[in-house]
Amino acid sequence: MQTDTDGAALREAAALIKKGEAVAFPTETVYGLGADGLNGAAVRKIFEAKGRPSDNPLILHIAGKKDILKLTSGLTKQAEILIDKFWPGPLTVIVAKSGIVPDEVSAGLDTVAVRMPSHPVAAELIRLAGTPIAAPSANISGKPSPTDAETVLADMQGRIAGIVDGGACEVGVESTIVDTTGEVPVILRPGGITREQLEEVLGKVELDPALAGVEAAKPKAPGMKYRHYAPKASMYVVEGEALAKLPLLAKEAANFAPVAVICGEVAESMQRTQNLHILNWGSAKTDLAVKLYRMLRRCDKLGVQLIFSEGVTEDGIGLAVMNRMRKAAGRQVLTLDEIEALLKNSSQLKSFVLK
């Protein structure tokens, strides 16, 4: 079933959630796959539909700031500051959980992730359902997150009870997740609220080691342990001084198989051919955030063998974008020396492309 966002459709979607079903809905970040967050059996349907590992915790979405109080055994001062400043919006806080939060939501942890989305459709759906809605992104686990209902339908048709179509998402990457339970707040996942914004109101903010590739044994938040956002093709990130060689590398690689390049500035020095697909996000990192998942899905539809992606600096939304890009690539980053070696040896380049 697919619905739109009129009152009757939202009431129908809310009724399905009340019955313990899973429904996809839009938020300002990406589309979520929601179920009654206080009903463990309903939450398990999310994991089944996505093929999601059960040790990967979920976020509870609420309609009002005070709704968090029943979900936690107590808020720290840091949490209160963040809630006051950034809710509703693309920020999730990790807090000590209360006894009403099922283990299915928290993956057995003593903490829970909570956020209050700003998207009016999401807010109204949660209000009509009368319960916190547990929701990860509405895609098959590991694939790029959906930012429109058409993409949700491609992954979830026949797996869930309904889809609320609210158009394209505004932010394009998931919410920022901040652990507020320690002495110093820790960013577990960068997202729509930037590190700089957090530092303005909190002062010191740390980055979790998992963001640098240190895998979390027991993740406290979504996106910390498993490969995410991944296209079907092998993908490599190219950053810094290595970008000067990207146009030539892509051109030569396309002699052996279809290649896609996700890029901004370097697009001006590249020429599209039958085997070389240029996916240009524009010039602003905010545009890349909105378009990245769509471009990764586009690569799947094009059937390319290899993807190169132009990296950006990590200020502002760049931290979130590069986190997603590197995860999509399985942290495969090409250095200048590696690119030059490939360009000097045609047989080595062919093996690299076709492996």
Side-chain angles (χ1 to χ4, degrees), residues 232-233 257-260 277 297-306:
K232 294 177 182 177
V259 171
H277 304 274
R297 293 263 181 173
R298 176 64 178 157
C299 289
D300 287 350
K301 290 181 179 179
L302 289 170
V304 299
Q305 178 82 17
L306 187 63

Side-chain angles (χ1 to χ4, degrees), residues 187-209:
I187 298 175
L188 304 184
R189 181 181 73 187
I193 299 297
T194 68
R195 182 180 187 176
E196 292 86 347
Q197 289 175 290
L198 295 172
E199 289 175 337
E200 281 184 16
V201 298
L202 293 176
K204 184 179 181 182
V205 177
E206 295 181 349
L207 296 178
D208 190 274

